[in-house]
Amino acid sequence: MRASIRLFLALLIALPFAHAAADDYEDAIRIFRDSSHSARFFNNSYGYAVFPTIGKGGFGIGGAHGAGRVYVKGAHVGDATMTQLTVGAQLGGQAYSQIVFL
């Protein structure tokens, strides 16, 4: 169990340093706009928060973290972070993009 706690702590220390560049935000927004599943929400929402890269990993205990930007009517108005802690049967890691419509 001590090894999984060390891995978890290492992930928590390393994940905040994985940041996204401005191009990553534009690319992520373009991908979500081009997707048939999310494109319709752009016209019907007040705004959105986009997270180009969320890193997630775990070994029994896991965590995820990602930096994002908040947009209102297409204009960048602020920044956001997403942090997650998980406990349970898990092993491995992944990176994914996420958008939250407001």
Side-chain angles (χ1 to χ4, degrees):
M1 190 62 139
R2 287 185 169 270
S4 63
I5 292 172
R6 283 188 220 147
L7 176 62
F8 172 70
L9 292 175
L11 285 171
L12 282 182
I13 292 169
L15 286 174
F17 297 104
H19 73 285
D23 288 343
D24 291 340
Y25 290 100
E26 294 170 12
D27 290 342
I29 292 168
R30 182 180 38 75
I31 289 168
F32 284 115
R33 279 191 189 275
D34 291 345
S35 169
S36 62
H37 299 290
S38 58
R40 62 189 167 134
F41 295 108
F42 282 92
N43 294 331
N44 299 323
S45 67
Y46 174 75
Y48 52 89
V50 64
F51 300 87
T53 305
I54 296 175
K56 181 178 181 180
F59 182 71
I61 298 173
H65 182 78
R69 289 185 179 172
V70 178
Y71 293 84
V72 174
K73 300 183 181 183
H76 175 219
V77 296
D79 298 320
T81 60
M82 192 291 302
T83 303
Q84 177 184 27
L85 173 66
T86 56
V87 178
Q90 56 190 314
L91 174 64
Q94 71 181 94
Y96 58 94
S97 297
Q98 180 174 318
I99 191 165
V100 178
F101 291 96
L102 310 169

